[in-house]
Amino acid sequence: MAKAHVYKRYHINTDEIIPARYLNADDEKELALHCMEDLDTGFVKKIKPGDCIVAGDDFGCGSSREHAVWAIRGAKVQTVIARSFARIFYRNAINCGFYLIESDDAVEKIKDGDEVEIDYGSGLIKDRTSGINIGFAPLPDFALEIIKDGGLLEHIKKATTD
Amino acid sequence: MTQRQVNVMGMTITEKILAKASGKKTVKAGDLVDAKIDVIMCHDITTPAAISMLIEKGIDKVFNRSKIVVTPDHFQPAKDIKSAELHKRLDQWAKRQKIKYYYKIGRAGVCHALLPEQGHIRPGEVIVGGDSHTCTYGAFAAFSTGVGSTDLAAAIATGQLWFKVPASMKFVLNGLLKKGVYSKDVILAVIARVGTDGALYRAMEFVGPALKGMSMEARMTITNMAIEAGAKNGIIGFDAVTKKYLDGHLRDKKSYKVFESDKDAEYAAVEEFDCSKLEPMVAMPHLPSGGVPIGKCRGKAMDQAYIGSCTNGRIEDLRIAAKIMKGKEVAIRTIIVPATPEIWKQAKDEGLFDVFYKAGCVISAPTCGACLGGFMGILAEGEKCISTTNRNFVGRMGHPKSEVYLASPATAAASAIEGKLTDPRKYL
Ligand code: SF4
C-alpha cells in the first residue's frame, strides 16, 4: 500500500522539485537526496518506496530538466497524481517510462497521509483510508507503448531492430 | 493548385511547419507526427546525461554532425568540480563525434542568444534544444521547442522526434509601445493575463502592428517567454525585419522556406492587447504571471540588479541599460552579463563597459550564471533582485527565501540606480 503525500498547490515547478544548485550532477540517487527540497524540506525523510505525490494544476512547470523526473523516481515515488502537468515534464516522464496520472478530483478528495492503491489497467485510484474510488483516464496508447518498452530510447531501439 | 485550395481548412504557421517536417500535406491540432529535426541545441546541463544514455543503450552516434550546435553556457566557465566534469563529458563527446558547430569556451555563450547570432536559425525549420527556452527561436518563423535529455538523445541519434501538433492561440499586439515600454513589458503583460498555464500545450502565435516596430532582439524576448505561459512554442511570422537579420547572420545554408498562417486557420483562442496603453511591468515573486504596472509596485527596496540572460542579455538590452546608467552610480549590487562573446565585444567597443564601470557595476563573462541560481550573483536569505531574466520561481536565483522581480533592462537599470523598484521613464 502506498501513502499519498498531498500538496494543495498549483504550479509546483522544476526549481522546487530539484533546485539548480544540484544540477551539476545527473546521477539519480544523488538527485533523489534533494527531491522537492525547496517545497518541503522534510519530503525525502518521509517518503517511502512506492508512495505517491498528489498535487494541483501544472505540476512540473518551468525548466526542461529531466532531472526533475529522475529526482522523483530516484526517491522511489511510484507516481505523481496531478490535476494537470506541464508539457515538458509530462513528456520527459513518458520518455523515461515513468507513469503519471491526470485527475481532476484527486487533489480535492485524497487527504495527506491516506493509503492508496492504484490500478493502472482499469484506471482507478482506491483510497483505502476514506474508501473513495477515483477514476482516471489511462495514458494514450503511444505513451503506454513507450512506457512498456522501458522508455523512448528502448522504444526506438526496438523499432529499428524489429 | 495553391495550398489554400487543397486544404479544407486553413493551417497555422506552426501546423504548416510540422506538416512539412513530417512529410504530410496537412496536419491539424492533436495529430501525432514524427517530425524531422533541422537543428539540435546542446548545452552543459542536459546534454551530458543524453550522451550517457546513448552510450549506455549502445546507440552512441549522431544523425548529422552539422545539424547539432553545442555550447556550454549554464555553468561556464566551470563553477566547481562537478560542473567541470559535465563540461569534460560534453567536450569529449563533441570532439569524438566531430560536431561541426561546437562553441568552446571563449566562443561559447548563452545558447538562445548564440544560435541566432551565429546564424543557425532559419525560418520554416524545426529546432529542438535541451532547454525549455528553446522556444526563443520561434521569433524567426520557425517551430522550436524545448525537450528533456531523453528526447535530446533520441533526436541526436535519429534526427527525428514525435510531436503532438499543438492548437494555436493568437495574440494580437495592437498599437505602438510608448517610450520606456519594451517587448519585455509586453510579454509580462501577456503572461499576467493568461497565467503560467494559460497556453499549456499550445502554440502562441504573435501578430500585430506592435511587432513591426520591434527588432529581432526585441521579438526574441517575447518568444523566449512563451514557455512561461506553458506553451509548446512561440512563433512570429516572417517580415522585412526578419529578412534583414538573416541576411546579416546566416551561415552556410542561406536558403529557407517561409510559411505563414492561412486566413481561415483555426485558433483555440484569440487575445487582443492594446500595447499603446502598456506601462513598464514588473513580475512579482514567485511566478512569471505576477506582472503589475510599475506604478503599483514602485519604491520596493532591492538588494541586487541583474541584467543579462537569454531574455534580455543582448546588445540592444545593454545599450538601453547603459543609456539610463550613463553618468550615474548604482545603489545596489549590479551584475551585467553580456550573453555572448560577440555581444561582450560589441558592448566594449561601443563604450558601454565604461558606463557600467563608472556606475559601479560588475561585468561578467557570458554565462547563464545567476539566472538559474548557478553562480555569479546568488541571493542570500531574504534578498530581493530586480532581474531581466524570465523566471522568478521560489529559489530560482539562490536561497529559497530570496525573491526575484522580473522586468525590462530599462526598469532594472533605473531600479539599480535608486536601489528600489523604479519607473525607468524618468531617466529617458
Ligand atoms: S539564461 Fe537563464 S533562462 Fe536562459 S538558458 Fe540560461 S539559465 Fe536558462
Side-chain angles (χ1 to χ4, degrees), chain B residues 154-203:
Chain B
I156 287 170
T158 67
Q160 229 168 281
L161 276 185
W162 63 271
F163 291 107
K164 204 172 185 181
V165 177
S168 291
M169 282 174 92
K170 194 195 275 192
F171 293 84
V172 188
L173 308 178
N174 291 313
L176 294 178
L177 295 178
K178 282 185 304 207
K179 199 170 173 186
V181 182
Y182 302 89
S183 64
K184 180 63 162 287
D185 301 303
V186 173
I187 190 63
L188 288 178
V190 167
I191 299 168
R193 188 194 289 180
V194 302
T196 51
D197 55 358
L200 195 61
Y201 293 93
R202 290 175 171 171

Side-chain angles (χ1 to χ4, degrees), chain A residues 122-149:
Chain A
S122 59
L124 205 62
I125 307 165
K126 300 170 192 164
D127 188 322
R128 296 299 190 197
T129 310
S130 66
I132 295 174
N133 281 353
I134 302 165
F136 65 90
L139 286 175
D141 285 345
F142 78 95
L144 285 177
E145 258 172 57
I146 294 174
I147 290 179
K148 199 177 80 215
D149 288 345

Side-chain angles (χ1 to χ4, degrees), chain B residues 122-161:
Chain B
R122 292 175 204 85
E125 298 201 336
V126 174
I127 303 127
V128 298
D131 190 281
S132 63
H133 294 103
T134 305
C135 52
T136 310
Y137 313 134
F140 292 86
F143 174 84
S144 189
T145 192
V147 297
S149 298
T150 302
D151 268 326
L152 192 65
I156 287 170
T158 67
Q160 229 168 281
L161 276 185

